[in-house]
Amino acid sequence: MIVIFCIICHLMFVSGSSLSDQVHQTPSEKFCKTGDKPQISCRHEIQDYTRIFWYKQSTDHQMQLLGYMNVNDGYPETGANVKINGGATKGETCSLTIEGVNTSSSGVYFCAASRTGSREAYFGQGTKLTVLDPDAEVQPPTVKILEPSKKECKDKKGKKKKTLVCVASDFYPDHVSVSWTRNGQNITDDIQVSTDAAATAKKDGKNYKITSRLMVPIKDWVEPNINFTCTVSFFNGKSNIKKNTTYTTKGIDYPVITRESYIKITQNAKISYTVLILKSCLYAALVCFLVWKLQRKRGKQTK
């Protein structure tokens, strides 16, 4: 058990290694109902690695060791309610069967390949498992893009920009991902794109919502006919379907001034100027009157 504990502790430090590319886990996403026995498979192509560990990451990101396979022998953890079958050597397939499924079984399941006596272990890509609510139906999202506020003009660093907000709503379950394109080209800049870390459930718990924000540089915003497309990929239990919507920039709109509007503007300007002159004259007359009155008062005091 000490070796197992050390391996699990070390997982977080080696999951980014290139050897993780040789650990293959399927499927990446899966739905099931209460009482089902979903199965997840894992195999690796790493020489001399003869152990495969299984664990679950719950929605609060806690890690639970479910058990492991050593060569051809499975060792599930007590109370984990799983079966581990197959083989753990190079090229063999190890399967995890989850029994007694209920809503608490939802989470992300990972396999990790390891070598006997070593503390290194390499992650698979993970399988997101959702136990469906019997009262909810699988449904794809509705997607829309919200225009930026007219008052928005600069980001926190003082750079001019506008922000488009993509909202995907009313979908179930929460198996979605969001991406953006500019005229068909993928936008991968993390500074330009900010997406919610996870979809959030509405009050009824049967529908989800997720938002993604795209910071559009002002140089693109002032150009017309640039297409920014938000694409939401939704797993419906069988395949990923895509829902998208596009916002097209309008560019800078210069107002057209007609002869009538020009005459009206100049007339208003003349009236405003005349009123200003009259006010100035009245003010000057008042000052002159006060000065004359003050001088007269001083003259009487002198006599």
Side-chain angles (χ1 to χ4, degrees):
M1 288 304 295
I2 295 176
V3 173
I4 296 173
F5 177 76
C6 292
I7 290 174
I8 295 302
C9 290
H10 195 67
L11 286 172
M12 301 304 292
F13 300 98
V14 298
S15 60
S17 168
S18 59
L19 285 180
S20 288
D21 296 336
Q22 299 183 47
V23 181
H24 311 289
Q25 184 175 338
T26 56
S28 59
E29 297 180 273
K30 193 175 185 67
F31 295 166
C32 70
K33 298 178 180 179
T34 300
D36 287 349
K37 296 182 179 181
Q39 189 176 88
I40 304 170
S41 298
C42 180
R43 66 179 178 84
H44 68 84
E45 304 297 333
I46 309 174
Q47 191 67 38
D48 298 328
Y49 274 47
T50 58
R51 286 189 174 187
I52 289 180
F53 289 84
W54 288 98
Y55 59 99
K56 172 192 173 187
Q57 183 181 38
S58 58
T59 52
D60 60 357
H61 302 293
Q62 295 295 316
M63 305 296 287
Q64 176 190 359
L65 176 64
L66 302 176
Y68 71 100
M69 170 155 280
N70 182 36
V71 189
N72 297 113
D73 296 319
Y75 298 92
E77 288 287 288
T78 303
N81 207 15
V82 299
K83 287 185 178 180
I84 301 174
N85 298 302
T89 56
K90 179 181 177 180
E92 292 188 311
T93 298
C94 176
S95 63
L96 174 76
T97 303
I98 307 165
E99 301 188 321
V101 166
N102 53 46
T103 53
S104 65
S105 302
S106 295
V108 182
Y109 290 78
F110 290 94
C111 69
S114 179
R115 180 170 50 195
T116 302
S118 172
R119 295 185 179 182
E120 289 186 341
Y122 296 90
F123 276 107
Q125 295 76 20
T127 298
K128 183 173 182 177
L129 175 69
T130 295
V131 181
L132 297 174
D133 185 332
D135 297 325
E137 294 184 1
V138 175
Q139 56 183 6
T142 298
V143 183
K144 62 181 179 180
I145 292 179
L146 305 179
E147 293 190 30
S149 167
K150 293 181 180 180
K151 296 181 180 180
E152 183 189 25
C153 60
K154 292 183 179 181
D155 61 15
K156 294 181 180 179
K157 295 183 179 180
K159 295 182 179 179
K160 293 182 178 180
K161 54 91 181 183
K162 291 287 185 179
T163 303
L164 294 174
V165 180
C166 179
V167 181
S169 57
D170 299 325
F171 57 89
Y172 180 83
D174 61 336
H175 288 232
V176 295
S177 61
V178 185
S179 61
W180 288 89
T181 61
R182 177 190 183 278
N183 288 341
Q185 298 297 316
N186 291 329
I187 300 174
T188 57
D189 189 343
D190 291 338
I191 297 177
Q192 200 170 349
V193 177
S194 175
T195 303
D196 294 343
T200 55
K202 293 187 175 181
K203 291 182 179 180
D204 60 7
K206 298 177 183 179
N207 287 287
Y208 285 85
K209 174 183 177 181
I210 192 170
T211 61
S212 180
R213 293 153 291 281
L214 174 68
M215 188 182 74
V216 180
I218 204 67
K219 64 181 179 62
D220 284 345
W221 190 257
V222 298
E223 290 292 329
N225 302 320
I226 295 181
N227 295 317
F228 291 101
T229 301
C230 173
T231 300
V232 179
S233 179
F234 173 75
F235 180 67
N236 64 3
K238 296 180 180 179
S239 61
N240 284 296
I241 61 174
K242 297 184 184 297
K243 297 282 186 175
N244 58 61
T245 185
T246 299
Y247 181 88
T248 303
T249 58
K250 303 175 182 63
I252 297 178
D253 295 326
Y254 295 100
V256 178
I257 301 177
T258 62
R259 177 178 175 81
E260 290 76 13
S261 61
Y262 175 77
I263 292 173
K264 186 176 180 179
I265 291 171
T266 54
Q267 285 177 343
N268 289 337
K270 288 178 181 178
I271 292 172
S272 298
Y273 183 71
T274 301
V275 171
L276 180 62
I277 293 298
L278 289 174
K279 286 183 177 181
S280 299
C281 292
L282 290 173
Y283 179 74
L286 178 61
V287 171
C288 291
F289 173 74
L290 292 175
V291 171
W292 172 79
K293 191 173 182 180
L294 181 61
Q295 289 178 344
R296 186 178 178 187
K297 185 177 180 180
R298 287 180 178 176
K300 289 181 178 181
Q301 290 177 351
T302 302
K303 293 180 179 181

